[in-house]
Amino acid sequence: MSYKKTEEEVRRVIKEKYSDYEYTRGYIGGRGFLYLKCRTCDTVFKYNAQIVRDSRNASNTKIYCANCRAIEAKQNRHLRYEEAKAERKKIKLLKIREKEIIQLKEKELKLKERLRKYVCAECGAEFESIHHNAKYCSDVCRKRIENRYKEVSRRKQLKRNGKIDYSITLPKLIIRDNGICALCGVQVDVEAYDNDGDIFIAKGMYPSIDHIIPVSKGGTHTWDNVQLAHCKCNADKNDSLNLKFESQGNKTNAI
Ligand SMILES: [Zn+2]
Ligand SMILES: [Zn+2]
Ligand SMILES: [Zn+2]
């Protein structure tokens, strides 16, 4: 076998043995160099021409493109960097979450320490609260007792206003006023209520006894001072009266 090959032979050997590369130029003999082009990145580089010698075993020689290796290394570095970044982020989030859980547990514990046992002044049920001197187990109980106080003070006011006619009842007033609301002129609805357990809850269209001159302004509970009104209309009237009273301040001696 001849020691020196033609460029065509060299081209063929490279093609067969090192298919990732292509011979371009430079072969002058087995001792010199030749220029190979990387098929992956198109870079041309110089390589020892001994690789095309027949004595060389192709399986023993592996050619690496320096450019491709650099790119690969860079990509690997980038990948490792991204992985490390993601890992750092994960650890950070975990630490935050752990801290949050600890804080939540501490908060719960503190709340538990502050919980005191009370007995509801309205329904007698035992309940726990963090509030100092808590009186009622729920809003329902608080509302109920507030309404009762309101009603008591209203009755006291009625007594102060003078004569109270105990013959006045809602059913009688409905008959006298033909079931029409004196404030808006629309029929009242005796079915407009809810029953929440033992609590009666009137809805807006339910009838109510309205005092033409309000009790707070000295109105009496007598047939000539009462008229039928929807609960809603009655409440609206009282609200606007209260607003008026508030804006007038102490000038009005309402009570
Ligand atoms: Zn390459
Ligand atoms: Zn209660
Ligand atoms: Zn009405």
Side-chain angles (χ1 to χ4, degrees):
M1 185 69 73
S2 106
Y3 181 68
K4 190 161 157 65
K5 290 183 164 66
T6 64
E7 276 202 311
E8 262 329 296
E9 281 170 331
V10 167
R11 196 182 301 280
R12 189 174 44 76
V13 170
I14 293 293
K15 200 176 172 183
E16 279 166 9
K17 288 187 178 174
Y18 310 103
S19 55
D20 287 343
Y21 307 94
E22 189 185 327
Y23 170 79
T24 55
R25 61 192 163 84
Y27 182 76
I28 46 162
R31 292 182 202 278
F33 291 94
L34 45 78
Y35 289 86
L36 296 176
K37 187 168 124 183
C38 170
R39 290 186 191 275
T40 309
C41 70
D42 279 350
T43 304
V44 175
F45 56 92
K46 201 167 148 188
Y47 211 88
N48 196 316
Q50 284 183 9
I51 52 161
V52 293
R53 277 203 207 160
D54 293 330
S55 57
R56 306 275 315 180
N57 189 339
S59 64
N60 288 343
T61 311
K62 183 107 181 80
I63 300 176
Y64 294 104
C65 163
N67 190 42
C68 276
R69 296 198 99 185
I71 290 170
E72 209 175 293
K74 200 175 164 190
Q75 278 170 346
N76 283 339
R77 265 204 309 280
H78 184 69
L79 218 68
R80 277 201 302 275
Y81 171 76
E82 288 295 329
E83 274 172 6
K85 200 169 143 190
E87 188 63 22
R88 278 201 301 275
K89 200 172 167 187
K90 211 170 108 185
I91 289 168
K92 202 174 158 190
L93 282 173
L94 268 173
K95 274 185 182 165
I96 289 172
R97 187 80 196 107
E98 265 173 26
K99 213 172 157 187
E100 279 174 354
I101 288 170
I102 289 169
Q103 278 174 346
L104 217 73
K105 276 185 180 161
E106 278 175 356
K107 210 172 159 189
E108 270 174 19
L109 218 70
K110 267 188 190 158
L111 272 178
K112 243 185 181 152
E113 279 170 10
R114 283 170 60 199
L115 276 179
R116 296 273 175 278
K117 276 198 161 65
Y118 295 99
V119 173
C120 177
E122 172 63 12
C123 72
E126 234 181 50
F127 68 99
E128 288 184 323
S129 172
I130 56 162
H131 298 295
H132 196 61
N133 283 337
K135 282 194 174 70
Y136 309 111
C137 72
S138 62
D139 276 351
V140 173
C141 281
R142 191 177 47 76
K143 202 89 197 157
R144 232 192 253 176
I145 217 154
E146 271 175 13
N147 286 340
R148 209 156 55 230
Y149 282 146
K150 254 190 222 162
E151 190 51 31
V152 166
S153 76
R154 214 174 71 95
R155 282 183 194 176
K156 275 185 189 164
Q157 180 70 42
L158 267 175
K159 267 182 195 158
R160 276 200 293 276
N161 291 353
K163 206 183 111 198
I164 295 172
D165 192 335
Y166 290 102
S167 74
I168 297 169
T169 63
L170 192 55
K172 281 188 204 166
L173 190 59
I174 293 171
I175 293 165
R176 191 199 75 178
D177 290 359
N178 297 316
I180 302 292
C181 169
L183 298 175
C184 75
V186 174
Q187 194 84 30
V188 298
D189 181 5
V190 292
E191 311 265 283
Y193 65 85
D194 274 334
N195 261 323
D196 187 8
D198 59 338
I199 312 166
F200 173 88
I201 302 165
K203 291 185 184 171
M205 296 305 274
Y206 194 79
S208 70
I209 300 171
D210 176 47
H211 293 90
I212 299 167
I213 300 169
V215 172
S216 61
K217 307 266 183 204
T220 55
H221 193 61
T222 48
W223 281 108
D224 60 345
N225 191 44
V226 291
Q227 60 187 4
L228 190 65
H230 291 118
C231 282
K232 184 191 171 298
C233 295
N234 201 342
D236 286 351
K237 179 183 157 185
N238 285 329
D239 279 353
S240 63
L241 275 172
N242 288 340
L243 274 178
K244 232 178 178 174
F245 174 65
E246 275 165 23
S247 65
Q248 282 169 352
N250 292 332
K251 277 180 273 170
T252 320
N253 40 2
I255 298 168

